[in-house]
Amino acid sequence: PKKRLLTLLAVPLISCAARLPVYGLLIAVAIPTTTIAGGLIGYQGLAFFGLYFLGIIGALFVSALLSRFSLKKVEDTPLVLELPNYRLPKLVPLLKHSAQMAWKFITQAGWVIFSVNTIIWILGYFPNGEGQLDSSYLATLGHFFEPMFAPLGLDWKFTVAIIMSFLAREVFVGALGTMFGLEDNDELSTNLADKLQADGLSMASSVSLLIFYVFAMQCVSTLAVLRQELGSSKAPVLVFIGYNIAAYLLALGCYYIFV
């Protein structure tokens, strides 16, 4: 039970594919394309490696901290894995099990994802309809929370993108593209970094935002699965608050180092 709980709490810190678009965009803004060792190693590649490595170190640190203090009295047993006999799967049991697991996810985690998705869509659409995100309720919310991210050198547009990325981290890139008038996918991938640089996004802000996304709990799916696995709403709330506070403080410290 203890190892299972530690795994549940540590896994969200491991960088996932959803973070890649965010990493790629901000690294393109903050890190030069300079290479060393005859072109074999690039600074941007090292930055990618550093972010993944930082997430692993963070997961190990959290595991060690919780194991020594918070979960010290939790029952611990030897980890035993029983490997089943290898055989070709039969189609009917496979489909039945897949359907059961899919239905379990829909009933226990899906409603949370759907509810948050619906709320964010409503805030982004009203009161002026499609294409008016800068005057929507979501923009108002961004202006309200802008002082929170202003110490990182970020304005309301980035605040809105961060709020929207709670659904999924990769939404951050699309939201910024909409804010800066880049709705075509090809245009978004090639010009958004240039737009951010022209808008004055500094290296300190970009690096601090990268650090924030390494540690922040910004995935409603992960929180829903945590609730499903732990059978409690308290743990996901504490994880959300704790990781986001830690991410913000680390990002703030990083900003003042690079500013």
Side-chain angles (χ1 to χ4, degrees), residues 25 29 172-174 176-178 180 182 187-197:
L25 173 64
V29 173
F172 175 83
V173 178
L176 280 181
T178 302
F180 286 91
L182 303 176
E187 187 182 22
L188 179 63
S189 61
T190 56
N191 295 341
L192 184 54
D194 295 333
K195 285 275 189 180
L196 295 181
Q197 289 176 331

Side-chain angles (χ1 to χ4, degrees), residues 145-157:
F145 286 104
E146 183 178 8
M148 182 184 300
F149 292 95
L152 302 180
L154 304 173
D155 60 14
W156 72 270
K157 293 181 180 180

Side-chain angles (χ1 to χ4, degrees), residues 47-129:
F48 260 107
F49 173 79
L51 292 171
Y52 271 84
F53 184 73
L54 191 60
I56 295 172
I57 294 298
L60 293 174
F61 177 77
V62 167
S63 298
L65 198 65
L66 292 175
S67 180
R68 177 163 294 188
F69 297 104
S70 298
L71 304 180
K72 190 174 182 179
K73 296 182 180 180
V74 176
E75 178 188 358
D76 196 13
T77 56
L79 179 62
V80 178
L81 293 177
E82 182 179 356
L83 298 179
N85 294 327
Y86 287 97
R87 56 172 65 95
L88 290 174
K90 294 183 178 180
L91 182 60
V92 174
L94 183 64
L95 292 176
K96 183 179 179 180
H97 180 70
S98 299
Q100 289 174 344
M101 296 305 296
W103 180 248
K104 183 178 179 181
F105 180 83
I106 290 172
T107 55
Q108 298 188 19
W111 72 271
V112 178
I113 301 171
F114 176 78
S115 300
V116 175
N117 193 5
T118 302
I119 291 171
I120 291 182
W121 178 84
I122 291 172
L123 292 175
Y125 186 84
F126 292 100
N128 298 318

